[in-house]
Every structure is written in structure tokens, then in C-alpha cells.
Amino acid sequence: MKALCLLRWSGSVLSPRTRRCGFHHFYKHPPTLRFQSTVASLLYRTAPDQGQAQEPDEDLGASIDPVQDDAPVIPEDMPQHLQKEARLRALPSPPICEAKDSAKLAALHARLSLSPRLPIETLARCLVDATADPNPDFNNTSLSLLGRDLYSYYTSEAILCRYPRLPTAVVFAAMSAYVGPKTLTQVSKEWGVELIAEPGGEVDPGYLQCKREDSRLIKKHSPNSDTDVTSIVETGQPKIVGVNRPNSERQTWRRGVSSMTIYDDEFGDLISGSSQKDPKNNDTLPPPTTTVEDACARFVQALMGAIYLHRGRHTAKMFFRQHILSRHLDIGSMFDFKSPTRDLSKLCAREGFESPVARILSETGRASRHPVFVVGVFAGREKLGEGSGGSLNEARTRAAVGALKGWYLYSPLDAGRVPSDAEGAGAATKPWKPVLVDIGEVVV
């Protein structure tokens, strides 16, 4: 496929150019102006004859932050170092020019082995959460949205191509284990990312900028209900929030796996629909505070989106495999069968096998206090599974669980290739072979 020129259409997503910008440009502007790009500040050059700042072009109005209209007026007779500190304190996040001088950003850039083509200003923008800076031109909202979709796409295709017979509930659990908020928070900690106590323009841009919410009011989500169980502070009752589901007000309705696939997110969790709107332009306002887990997850997602925009699909997939897919995950421990013997009987009937029969393979100490029985489950002459236990029922149940896991954890020989590998320039050298698509799990 032909590569696209991103600079022509993704200016609102890409971070500033890598051109160096000193603070002498920043001092010439009023404290109410902020620039998304270091190139934009060069347009405010001082006129050679008048000594006044020139007005910007009309098409640069979107790059100016309208949030800073109430910034304090700085006296002209104030010392220069105090002017610098006052201007920085007036900003909700560190300015673009500070990114080049941050040792933390340079260390993080080198620690992750990022490409030199990924500007350090983009890395600084990935560290600015929407709760710290509500301006979408300076926070990581757009980048994290792109990175979250990429993580979901790459993870889901890797799981389904490797284990095409997995039940939907296990796929949701595996997705959460790979790219869930808790996992991405742990990844950011392993990268050495630190959070700032309070965001502002005067702090080092190498810290993660976000406004934390009060720990006494942190909402704990219940995956089996449409309510958010909060800590009992005032009312003592669980708070019901809006969700993007039909008939969400009916609390007694059961959430099935099929409805989770359609209405819920990639982890099978509820999608909140209670977002505030700006009365001026009807845009969605960012939340005032966030949790540390969500802020760290959005940073890891934003970095993935930035790598995809600046370096392309191949580098983004390599970054995903090195930092996410390389982690060991025991998917066999995620199964939770309620009645494995009945599920195995239904599976054999659906696939046209003979009815499963449990047979004792060996035993020891039947008359003692700790007997051990080894039971095998057979369908005709084929042994489907084997299990051991202290009783015949326990051994039979474990044998049925082993047989079900052997079916659901089937992996093709060429499971390493995924559909996204067929994209790009190297796809023509190796033809694509369709992967196995299973008819689905057993419905009892």
C-alpha cells in the first residue's frame, strides 16, 4: 500500500515539529497565547521597525489556547526570571520549549529505544492527561484514542488466531490481562514513569501530568451489574450512572455474553454514557479528575498512537510485540466451568462424537484416608481427557475439565500469522492463508 503523508491531514493529532525553540520567543508573547507547534511561535516575530509583535494568521486561531484568557497580567518591570516563573505558572501544562531541556524525557526516550524520528515533544504530549490540560491540542486524548484502538485490534487478532476456539468470556479476560488498565499501569511503572503531585507549567515535562481524584470517592465498578458501587460517604447507596445500553434502567436484567459483544467495550465492561457537554460548542468536556490507573493507561495508549503516526504500522506492531505480547499469560487458568461433565456431553453431541464415558485408569489406597483415583474420559476409543483426585467424582470432573481445555485451547500450526501481517509492502512475498474460524462455544 502507498504510504500517506501524515503532515497534510493529521496536524491536530501530530505533536509539534522537532525544531528547537528557546524561551526568547515565548517572552515576546502575551501570557494568554499557547502554541501547539514550535513553528507557530516563529510567526510572532518582532517587527524590525516598530518593535511590536505581529498578529498571527487567521488559520492559526485553532492553535491558540482559549482557556488562558483569564491569565494574570505580568508587570513589565518585573525581573526576567520572575516573569518566566509567572508565565509558566499560568499554563496548565509545561510549554513545548521545555521538552528539549528535560533530562527525564530524554532518559525515557532512550530507555524505550524510540526512534529519533519520534520527536521528544510528542513524548511530552503523551504525558499530559486531559484532566491536567483540557485543551485537546496539548493533551493526549487524540493519541490515546488511536492507541487504544490499535492495542485492541492487535491483541484481539493475536488471541483469536492463536486460540480460535476460545469462549467469549475467556477472550474478554485475556484482553483485559494483556491491555487492560491494570496491565498498562504496571507497564508504565516498569518504564520508570512517575506522576506529578499537581500539574502545571513550571514542572518538568518528564512527569505524568494529571489531576488525581480523592481516594475516598474512587468508584469501584462491578462487572455483573449496571451500577457503580462507590464508597459510602454521604448517601450510603450505590450510585447509578448512565451507560450506552438499551433498558439500562432495569437493574434486574441479566447481561449476557452476546450483549457484551455488541454494547460493551473490548473488555466486556460497561461503557459510561454520562459525559458532560460544553454549553458553548457542545463538545465533550474532559473529567475534572482521574485515577492513577486510568492516567497511566492513557499514557501507554497515547505512546502507541504516536509511534503509529510517526513511524508507521511496522514499528507500531514491533513495539506492541516487545512490550505487550511478549508477556506470559496462562490462558488455561482463566476457565471457570460450572458443570464440565454436562458441557462435555453437549460438545460431543454437537460435533458428532460418541457420548463421553468415564473409566478408572488406576487407583491406590482406596481403603486408606488419602486415596488417589485416576480417571479418563473416552469417546469411543479416543481418550479425551484425564484427571486425578481424592474421589471418583473429583477425578471425573477434572478429566472433563481437561477434555474441554484440550478442545478450547487448540492452536493451529501456523498461528503466528495474523490478518494485519497481510498489509504493507512485504505482504506480496508471502500469500495470505485464511485462519480457522470456529462455529462458537457450547451453549448449555
Side-chain angles (χ1 to χ4, degrees):
M1 297 178 64
K2 185 178 180 181
L4 297 177
C5 185
L6 297 176
L7 298 180
R8 295 181 180 177
W9 55 273
S10 57
S12 61
V13 178
L14 289 175
S15 85
R17 314 295 190 267
T18 56
R19 188 176 302 176
R20 185 174 180 85
C21 174
F23 267 103
H24 61 279
H25 295 296
F26 185 72
Y27 292 147
K28 295 179 183 179
H29 319 315
T32 59
L33 300 183
R34 296 173 63 204
F35 301 96
Q36 185 188 11
S37 173
T38 55
V39 179
S41 64
L42 299 179
L43 299 178
Y44 280 81
R45 295 194 180 106
T46 304
D49 299 333
Q50 301 176 0
Q52 297 179 357
Q54 298 177 354
E55 293 295 329
D57 296 337
E58 295 181 358
D59 57 351
L60 293 177
S63 299
I64 301 177
D65 186 3
V67 182
Q68 299 298 321
D69 292 338
D70 56 348
V73 179
I74 301 176
E76 296 180 357
D77 55 348
M78 182 181 292
Q80 189 175 7
H81 66 282
L82 295 180
Q83 290 184 12
K84 173 183 175 181
E85 183 178 357
R87 286 189 172 91
L88 289 177
R89 290 183 179 276
L91 298 177
S93 61
I96 298 299
C97 305
E98 284 287 285
K100 286 291 185 179
D101 301 328
S102 174
K104 284 185 170 295
L105 276 179
L108 181 61
H109 196 282
R111 191 181 305 123
L112 299 180
S113 301
L114 300 178
S115 172
R117 294 180 59 183
L118 179 65
I120 201 169
E121 291 89 353
T122 304
L123 183 60
R125 180 180 176 181
C126 294
L127 290 167
V128 179
D129 193 75
T131 57
D133 194 341
N135 192 333
D137 294 336
F138 295 91
N139 58 36
N140 61 4
T141 302
S142 55
L143 294 175
S144 63
L145 180 61
L146 175 60
R148 176 171 180 170
D149 292 340
L150 290 173
Y151 275 134
S152 302
Y153 172 50
Y154 292 151
T155 307
S156 59
E157 69 173 2
I159 294 175
L160 294 178
C161 290
R162 185 173 181 82
Y163 303 105
R165 293 176 177 172
L166 280 183
T168 307
V170 181
V171 173
F172 284 149
M175 289 281 295
S176 180
Y178 271 121
V179 291
K182 293 183 178 180
T183 303
L184 297 184
T185 303
Q186 185 64 29
V187 170
S188 66
K189 292 181 180 179
E190 293 175 358
W191 289 350
V193 178
E194 300 177 357
L195 277 80
I196 199 66
E198 185 68 23
E202 74 280 1
V203 301
D204 194 310
Y207 288 99
L208 181 57
Q209 315 277 327
C210 68
K211 290 184 179 179
R212 312 182 194 183
E213 66 182 10
D214 192 352
S215 59
R216 297 173 299 176
L217 302 177
I218 294 180
K219 299 178 181 179
K220 297 180 180 179
H221 175 66
S222 177
N224 298 323
S225 65
D226 290 346
T227 61
D228 278 351
V229 182
T230 59
S231 58
I232 309 303
V233 180
E234 297 178 355
T235 61
Q237 300 293 333
K239 182 180 179 180
I240 302 176
V241 299
V243 293
N244 295 328
R245 264 177 166 269
N247 303 312
S248 60
E249 68 278 358
R250 300 179 181 269
Q251 302 296 326
T252 57
W253 283 24
R254 184 179 65 89
R255 293 173 55 218
V257 177
S258 300
S259 64
M260 291 181 185
T261 307
I262 299 174
Y263 298 111
D264 297 343
D265 60 4
E266 64 270 24
F267 309 125
D269 298 332
L270 293 171
I271 301 177
S272 176
S274 58
S275 58
Q276 299 180 356
K277 297 290 185 179
D278 190 355
K280 296 182 180 180
N281 50 14
N282 200 24
D283 292 339
T284 302
L285 295 176
T289 57
T290 184
T291 60
V292 175
E293 183 177 289
D294 293 339
C296 293
R298 282 192 290 267
F299 158 68
V300 180
Q301 294 166 357
L303 182 57
M304 180 65 172
I307 294 174
Y308 182 83
L309 286 176
H310 285 278
R311 296 293 296 133
R313 182 190 306 108
H314 178 71
T315 307
K317 289 195 65 176
M318 186 182 302
F319 182 83
F320 166 76
R321 290 170 179 170
Q322 292 175 351
H323 295 274
I324 302 298
L325 203 59
S326 61
R327 296 171 174 270
H328 173 70
L329 179 62
D330 186 12
I331 298 184
S333 61
M334 297 182 176
F335 288 88
D336 185 17
F337 299 103
K338 302 299 182 182
S339 54
T341 54
R342 184 178 60 177
D343 294 347
L344 183 59
S345 299
K346 293 288 185 179
L347 177 62
C348 292
R350 191 191 71 177
E351 298 297 329
F353 301 152
E354 298 183 14
S355 299
V357 178
R359 301 172 184 172
I360 299 178
L361 300 180
S362 63
E363 64 175 280
T364 180
R366 180 186 284 263
S368 65
R369 294 181 59 184
H370 302 285
V372 177
F373 300 92
V374 179
V375 175
V377 177
F378 293 84
R381 295 184 177 181
E382 298 291 335
K383 185 171 71 171
L384 304 180
E386 181 179 328
S388 61
S391 63
L392 289 175
N393 289 334
E394 180 182 0
R396 182 182 62 177
T397 301
R398 290 185 176 181
V401 170
L404 289 173
K405 286 185 177 181
W407 174 265
Y408 287 124
L409 293 178
Y410 163 76
S411 180
L413 296 178
D414 55 348
R417 197 152 188 242
V418 294
S420 61
D421 293 339
E423 304 173 357
T429 59
K430 189 175 182 181
W432 167 252
K433 293 182 180 180
V435 297
L436 174 64
V437 179
D438 193 67
I439 61 177
E441 57 189 294
V442 178
V443 179
V444 180

